[in-house]
Amino acid sequence: RALGVAAEVYLGDDKLGEQLGYASSRGIPLAVLRGPKEREQGVATVRDLRTREQEVVPAAELAPYLAERVGRSRVL
């Protein structure tokens, strides 16, 4: 948010597919997935909800990565 990226946190305990469906239905272009495995490795998986492509990004680089992607796509 400090970089001007709109963000929303899904607090429900629905299955991942339902969470991603919710985000997609709201027009959210990117989802950040960070489960126990990603936390242990110090990374996050970023999934493009339009193309379903995903990329693993180091946690320390996540905010600038998202800001660049959102600026490039101009979707949020």
Side-chain angles (χ1 to χ4, degrees):
R1 290 182 178 146
L3 295 174
V5 176
E8 185 172 328
V9 176
Y10 190 94
L11 298 176
D13 56 358
D14 297 317
K15 293 182 179 182
L16 180 60
E18 293 172 359
Q19 294 177 39
L20 295 175
Y22 168 82
S24 184
S25 73
R26 294 190 40 97
I28 296 170
L30 302 172
V32 176
L33 311 174
R34 193 141 193 260
K37 180 180 173 183
E38 287 90 356
R39 286 188 227 288
E40 183 179 305
Q41 296 174 353
V43 299
T45 299
V46 178
R47 182 178 295 177
D48 186 318
L49 298 178
R50 298 159 297 185
T51 65
R52 295 191 175 187
E53 294 176 1
Q54 39 185 65
E55 187 170 349
V56 176
V57 178
E61 298 172 20
L62 184 59
Y65 173 85
L66 294 173
E68 179 186 325
R69 287 288 307 268
V70 170
R72 189 169 58 224
S73 66
R74 303 195 184 279
V75 174
L76 280 182

